[in-house]
Every structure is written in structure tokens, then in C-alpha cells.
Amino acid sequence: MTTIIIIALFLLQIISFYFIALLNMKLSKYKDLEDRQEQTMKEIEESFSAYLADMKDENDRLLYELKENSFVPPLKEHASAQEEVSTTIKNDIDPSFVLSRPLVSKHKVANSYVQAASLPEIKQPVTMKEKVLYYSEEGKSPMEIAKLLQIGKTEVELFLKFK
């Protein structure tokens, strides 16, 4: 009787070692998958940071060049520009090189670039619900919104009620 119990315990121990080995293999597969995903995330993050650094360097270089080359030509009246064209034609210089309007200074261009970069991007409404809420924030009545969007007044009121 004791031999049967010992053999049963021995078999149960072998089966338990088999299940432990199976669980260990599954766990190692999940760890490998997790490591690969983490490596992919690091690569993506590094590529994004490199791209952003390149963009920042290009923007800084552009601003530097605009500040370095900020030449402001004197503003001329339209009549004086016509006189200049006539004198250049007399001097046999190609009239296509003469500007008929004043140049914008590079300093102004740089300032407008900096201002445009600092402005937040205005998000345009895409879905019907966003459009209804947008027009509602502008102060339009549900009837006006329904006419603008060509939908029913009840639908507009439902969008406004469940926003």
C-alpha cells in the first residue's frame, strides 16, 4: 500500500514539474514580447525626438538668417519708383530687376513667423455634434443651427442637451 502511495506521489511530482516548466516557458514568451515592445517604443521616441530636434535647428537657423540679413530698403513713393524704372531703362539695365513695390524687411518676416508659431491652432469642427456645439457657442439659436446644418431642430436640441 505504501508503495502505491509513493508511486502516486512520484507521478504527481513529475506532472507538477511539467506544468511548472510550461508556465515558465509562457512567462518567458510574454517577457520577450514585452521587451520587444519596449525597444520599439524607445526607437519611436528617439526618432521623434531626433525629428523635433532637426525641426528646431532649422527654425533657429531660419530665424538667425532673418536677423542677420535684416536689410530695410528705404520706402519710395510710386512716382519715384516710376522715375527709377525710366532711369534704369535709359541706362540699359534690365527693367525686370527693378521692384515696383517696396520690400518687406526680414525683421518683420521673422516677427510674423515667431507670432504665427506661437498662435494656437484653431480646430475646425468636423462632426455634426462639434458643428452644433460650435454654432451654439457663437450664440446661434437651435432653429438657426438647424437651418445652417440642414438637420432637424429636435436633433440640434438633443445635441445641446447631451453635450
Side-chain angles (χ1 to χ4, degrees), residues 1 15 23 26 29 33 47 49-50 53 70 72 78 83-84 88 103 105 118 121 126 129 131 134 143 156-157 161:
M1 177 78 174
I15 293 172
L23 289 173
K26 287 193 180 224
K29 284 183 184 178
L33 179 65
S47 64
S49 62
S70 61
V72 181
H78 186 64
E83 292 172 11
E84 186 177 311
T88 56
L103 294 173
S105 72
S118 65
E121 214 174 282
V126 178
K129 182 177 181 179
K131 290 178 183 178
Y134 175 75
M143 186 61 107
V156 171
E157 290 172 348
K161 188 174 185 178

Side-chain angles (χ1 to χ4, degrees), residues 126-133 149-151 155 159:
V126 178
T127 64
M128 191 62 69
K129 182 177 181 179
E130 289 175 352
K131 290 178 183 178
V132 168
L133 295 176
L149 299 177
Q150 297 178 352
I151 58 175
E155 190 174 354
F159 277 131

Side-chain angles (χ1 to χ4, degrees), residues 60-77:
D60 291 341
R61 190 177 329 118
L62 174 66
L63 289 174
Y64 176 76
E65 286 182 19
L66 287 174
K67 287 179 183 177
E68 281 292 314
N69 299 327
S70 61
F71 170 71
V72 181
L75 297 176
K76 298 179 181 177
E77 295 291 326

Side-chain angles (χ1 to χ4, degrees), residues 38-114:
E38 188 174 317
Q39 181 66 26
T40 305
M41 290 294 288
K42 284 181 183 179
E43 290 173 359
I44 290 172
E45 186 175 313
E46 288 173 1
S47 64
F48 275 132
S49 62
Y51 177 74
L52 289 175
D54 287 344
M55 291 297 290
K56 186 177 185 300
D57 290 342
E58 287 181 23
N59 287 342
D60 291 341
R61 190 177 329 118
L62 174 66
L63 289 174
Y64 176 76
E65 286 182 19
L66 287 174
K67 287 179 183 177
E68 281 292 314
N69 299 327
S70 61
F71 170 71
V72 181
L75 297 176
K76 298 179 181 177
E77 295 291 326
H78 186 64
S80 64
Q82 290 294 335
E83 292 172 11
E84 186 177 311
V85 170
S86 64
T87 56
T88 56
I89 292 173
K90 289 177 185 175
N91 295 333
D92 293 325
I93 297 176
D94 188 11
S96 64
F97 291 115
V98 178
L99 297 175
S100 62
R101 59 186 167 106
L103 294 173
V104 177
S105 72
K106 292 187 178 185
H107 182 68
K108 288 182 181 178
V109 172
N111 285 339
S112 67
Y113 173 76
V114 170

Side-chain angles (χ1 to χ4, degrees), residues 113-124:
Y113 173 76
V114 170
Q115 289 173 353
S118 65
L119 290 176
E121 214 174 282
I122 299 173
K123 184 181 176 189
Q124 294 294 327

